[in-house]
Each structure stands twice: as structure tokens, then as C-alpha cells.
Amino acid sequence: MHGLINRAIQRYVRDTHGDAAWAQVARQAGLGFEGFEAMLLYDISLTEAVLTAAERVLNRPREVILEDLGTFLVSNPGLDSLRRLLRFGGATFTDFLLTLEDTRGRGQLALPDIDLPVLDLYEISPSLYALQCQFPIAGTGHVLVGLLRAMADDYGALVLLDHDGNSLDGEVVLIHLLEVSYAEGRSFDLTLRGV
């Protein structure tokens, strides 16, 4: 598993629950080191051990932790670069949804060795979509629920999101668009200020 993914979990635990909580997670997971390096590759068993330890230390179900992680990745001001990359998906939340299938390829253009979920979007009706997610970490669909909820808020869209369980081809997230322009979204400008 790519270090960036492991480091995102580490940062979520540290930023939302404190350094002591992360130290406990690392110890219970048997890492043998303080934290993950962003550009290294790790065995997937370490990622699983960290998630299992986080469940015990934070006393929260895995699904809740993963959904919060997805929200954290988009809404945390210190991670604004990810939000900006995602906003390049389109001018509206619907445009953004329609580019989700390209996420894996775009990520691998920047980091060829990163393994991102395979996403397939199915339009059931103009306001209802099913997003299928394939990834070796169980519960990744919950990360997507949190990420999509935060992105909908970012765009000002009103959506209902539901992790609809697993299919033969992965986890399924249902996305019901209630209103595309429900509220004013967060500002987004293609230019970087102060650079």
C-alpha cells in the first residue's frame, strides 16, 4: 500500500484524536516505527493492522472511521491540495461525479506506483447514480461516502449518500442528487494565490 494512503490514515488519527491516540494505534498495530513515509510502499497487512488498532483505540467502528477519513481528506484546511485536485473534476457536482472514473488514471500519472480504487459510475436516472468501488481495503466505499459528502458541500449540492453494501464487483455507493445548486459552494479559483 502506498505510503500516502497510510499517511492519510495517520494524519486523520493525529489531527482529530491527538498524538497520544496515534502512538497507541502505532503500538497496537505493531508498526515498530513512529509513522509512515509518504513515498514508500508498505505491505497491505500494515494498513489493515492500523485500521484494526484504530477501531480499538478510538472505540469506533471501522465504517465510521473510514467515512470520517473521507470527509477529513476534503475538509481539512491542511489538505487543501487534494480538494483543489478534486475540484478540477468539473464546475458542478454532477460534472465532478462524471469524472470520478478517471481518478485512478490521473493519480497514476502523478504517482505511477500509487494504487487507487477502481471506480465505475452508473447513471440510474438523472438524479440517481451508483458508484462501484474496487479496492483491496474493505470499507473503502465508506471513505468515498465521506469524501463525496464533503465535495457535495464544497459544490453547494444537496445529496443523499448511502453505502449500499457489496456486489460481486466491489462496494456500492448510491448517490441521490436532490438539488445541484442547493447552497453557495466554497469558492474555487483555478489560479493559486500567493504563488
Side-chain angles (χ1 to χ4, degrees):
M1 187 63 53
H2 200 283
L4 279 177
I5 293 170
N6 290 319
R7 193 145 174 94
I9 299 167
Q10 173 185 325
R11 182 145 184 205
Y12 160 74
V13 173
R14 273 191 168 156
D15 288 6
T16 60
H17 299 282
D19 290 337
W22 171 251
Q24 279 186 281
V25 168
R27 188 171 41 259
Q28 286 191 24
L31 292 185
F33 50 87
E34 285 185 32
F36 291 101
E37 294 295 328
M39 299 310 290
L40 294 181
L41 297 178
Y42 296 88
D43 192 279
I44 194 169
S45 63
L46 284 179
T47 309
E48 288 290 349
V50 165
L51 289 172
T52 300
E55 285 182 84
R56 288 192 303 265
V57 171
L58 305 178
N59 194 27
R60 302 173 81 198
R62 179 182 183 121
E63 295 80 19
V64 172
I65 291 170
L66 291 174
E67 188 172 326
D68 286 351
L69 171 63
T71 302
F72 173 82
L73 290 173
V74 173
S75 61
N76 185 297
L79 299 172
D80 197 50
S81 58
L82 177 60
R83 172 191 168 256
R84 289 185 57 75
L85 284 173
L86 292 171
R87 282 298 295 258
F88 278 105
T92 68
F93 185 71
T94 306
D95 294 340
F96 164 73
L97 285 178
L98 296 174
T99 65
L100 284 174
E101 292 178 340
D102 301 330
T103 304
R104 181 182 173 95
R106 287 190 309 232
Q108 289 175 336
L109 281 174
L111 295 166
D113 56 351
I114 195 164
D115 188 21
L116 295 174
V118 175
L119 302 176
D120 292 302
L121 185 71
Y122 301 95
E123 184 176 350
I124 299 168
S125 75
S127 63
L128 182 62
Y129 296 84
L131 180 63
Q132 188 173 282
C133 166
Q134 295 176 2
F135 199 60
I137 300 290
T140 302
H142 293 284
V143 175
L144 289 172
V145 169
L147 185 140
L148 291 170
R149 184 170 289 120
M151 288 304 294
D153 288 346
D154 206 76
Y155 278 100
L158 180 62
V159 300
L160 289 176
L161 297 159
D162 184 37
H163 188 284
D164 199 39
N166 298 318
S167 72
L168 292 175
D169 296 316
E171 297 176 53
V172 177
V173 175
L174 293 178
I175 306 158
H176 189 176
L177 291 170
L178 300 176
E179 194 170 333
V180 177
S181 298
Y182 177 73
E184 185 176 340
R186 284 176 62 189
S187 64
F188 177 71
D189 187 356
L190 292 177
T191 60
L192 292 174
R193 304 262 184 234
V195 176

